[in-house]
Amino acid sequence: MIRTPLTGLLGIRYPVVQAAMGYVSGPRLAAAVSDAGGLGLIASATMSLAELEKAIEETAGRTPRPFGVNLRADAPDAAERARLIVTRRVPVASFAQAPKPDLIAALKDAGVVTIASVGARRHAEKAAGWGIDAVIATGVEGGGHVGAVPTSLLVPQVAAAVDIPVIAAGGFSDGRGLVAALAWGAAGIAMGTRFLLTSDSPVADAVKQVYLSAGLDGTVVTTRVDGVPHRVLRTTMVDQLEGRGRASRAGGLATLVRSARNAAAFRGLSGMGWPEMLRQGRDMRRDTGLSWGQVLMAANTPVLLRAAMVDGRTDLGLMSSGQVAGLIDDLPSCAELIESIMAEAGATLDRLEGVRKA
């Protein structure tokens, strides 16, 4: 047993968190992780409010152990989703960006533990000052949207700057990584790609095989999907997108046209009307400083993720992935995975103790 401030805060057996992944982290995966002693998270950014309520109910029916919901702090219905979390007595709420202090306070007043993802020390300090309970510090090795600092440099810096539990993310898949994170000052680890590549993951086997065949050089960080750095598997489609990024002005126009089509497709998937999407776009511009072209490009992500993760179109879809995919070659259950992580962590600590005594 490895007890840390994180296990006490969340009421979980092991300091292992499943990262939220759109169209992947639903009730099946979240419940499997929580049942195995970690913390499972439902990724709600690609769900309607009604779908989220159904997912919470299903997850609670699958496991009696703590789980959480990940949501966008800038979503127009973020307050409604927070009320749903409170009403349904979900113990944990996590955010891709730090929520505003009033939202944090509302959740904490209701007894909900709050977690925010950060990519820099200043982000962690701001979130901690606002009352967040814990942060996930994600290094450049991670999948999806990433910063520019390696995990091995980011985590010690963040851990030294805040007095709340820090969860290390980006490049973790085994017990040695957990021990390294603890040595850097973290209270646990979060994993996305490693949990995607389990038998409990809802992703189609054909898609998982694409991940398993990737090497350590099989991912790339691109801004051609939604305008901000995004680590994905290197596929023919991604290479084409990167090529278009180096093309002339006509290529830029093609990108905007494609993004507009994807915006329309996402509107159909999400059930949002154009006025609501435009309001979200204005809010995104205000909060991030992105241009309208970049905001329009952001519509690419949910559509392309769904194409790969739900429809199995690895030729057309987008597959977010951490570099750690190049080290993974099996598909254990979540229970088997967490058990092996903890066993290896224990053996590693024993070995290090032996080195200290030598």
Side-chain angles (χ1 to χ4, degrees):
M1 297 294 291
I2 296 177
R3 291 295 185 189
T4 73
L6 183 68
T7 58
L9 175 68
L10 301 178
I12 56 178
R13 188 175 184 187
Y14 305 122
V16 178
V17 175
Q18 164 244 306
M21 298 168 281
Y23 299 114
V24 178
S25 309
R28 174 177 161 183
L29 182 60
V33 173
S34 289
D35 232 23
L39 180 76
L41 292 175
I42 300 170
S44 77
T46 54
M47 297 178 180
S48 67
L49 192 63
E51 288 171 335
L52 174 58
E53 184 169 17
K54 183 177 179 181
I56 291 172
E57 183 178 356
E58 182 179 344
T59 305
R62 285 174 175 261
T63 180
R65 296 184 175 177
F67 65 92
V69 169
N70 177 268
L71 60 154
R72 281 177 46 188
D74 61 347
D77 61 350
E80 293 178 73
R81 291 173 184 255
R83 282 194 292 271
L84 179 61
I85 288 171
V86 172
T87 301
R88 290 291 182 170
R89 298 184 178 180
V90 179
V92 180
S94 72
F95 298 86
Q97 306 93 16
K100 295 296 187 290
D102 56 343
L103 188 56
I104 296 174
L107 287 164
K108 290 186 66 172
D109 287 346
V112 178
V113 175
T114 56
I115 303 173
S117 294
V118 299
R121 181 183 64 186
R122 66 181 185 278
H123 300 153
E125 291 172 334
K126 179 182 288 187
W130 285 350
I132 207 78
D133 292 307
V135 293
I136 298 176
T138 305
V140 69
E141 301 95 323
H145 294 122
V146 294
V149 182
T151 305
S152 60
L153 301 180
L154 176 65
V155 173
Q157 185 184 49
V158 171
V162 298
D163 59 0
I164 56 176
V166 175
I167 305 162
F172 296 100
S173 65
D174 58 22
R176 292 174 301 172
L178 172 57
V179 173
L182 296 176
W184 292 332
I189 57 173
M191 304 185 299
T193 304
R194 175 66 274 198
F195 278 120
L196 185 154
L197 293 174
T198 61
S199 60
D200 294 305
S201 164
V203 175
D205 288 342
V207 177
K208 292 176 183 177
Q209 289 304 316
V210 176
Y211 278 88
L212 291 174
S213 65
L216 283 174
D217 61 349
T219 65
V220 61
V221 177
T222 179
T223 61
R224 302 305 303 170
V225 176
D226 55 8
V228 292
H230 194 138
R231 185 177 294 281
V232 296
L233 283 184
R234 187 186 296 276
T235 63
T236 300
M237 189 204 74
V238 171
D239 287 341
Q240 289 174 347
L241 285 176
E242 286 286 281
R244 288 174 188 157
R246 293 186 290 271
S248 64
R249 185 179 304 169
L253 178 61
T255 296
L256 290 178
V257 171
R258 182 179 65 253
S259 297
R261 292 196 186 111
N262 284 339
F266 179 60
R267 186 180 70 86
L269 290 173
S270 66
M272 288 191 295
W274 283 112
E276 185 175 350
M277 287 193 68
L278 289 173
R279 281 197 300 274
Q280 284 199 34
R282 285 196 299 269
D283 291 342
M284 185 181 294
R285 285 197 70 201
R286 183 190 66 230
D287 295 339
T288 64
L290 297 177
S291 67
W292 271 113
Q294 290 172 314
V295 169
L296 189 57
M297 286 173 67
N300 285 324
T301 303
V303 175
L304 296 178
L305 281 174
R306 181 182 175 88
M309 299 305 171
V310 179
D311 302 332
R313 293 299 304 270
T314 58
D315 56 332
L316 298 176
L318 180 73
M319 291 173 281
S320 298
S321 176
Q323 285 184 297
V324 76
L327 299 177
I328 299 172
D329 59 8
D330 61 349
L331 299 170
S333 68
C334 290
E336 291 168 339
L337 173 61
I338 291 180
E339 182 180 345
S340 69
I341 288 173
M342 298 312 300
E344 186 178 40
T348 302
L349 289 171
D350 289 342
R351 178 172 57 82
L352 293 175
E353 178 65 15
V355 171
R356 192 179 70 86
K357 291 179 178 179

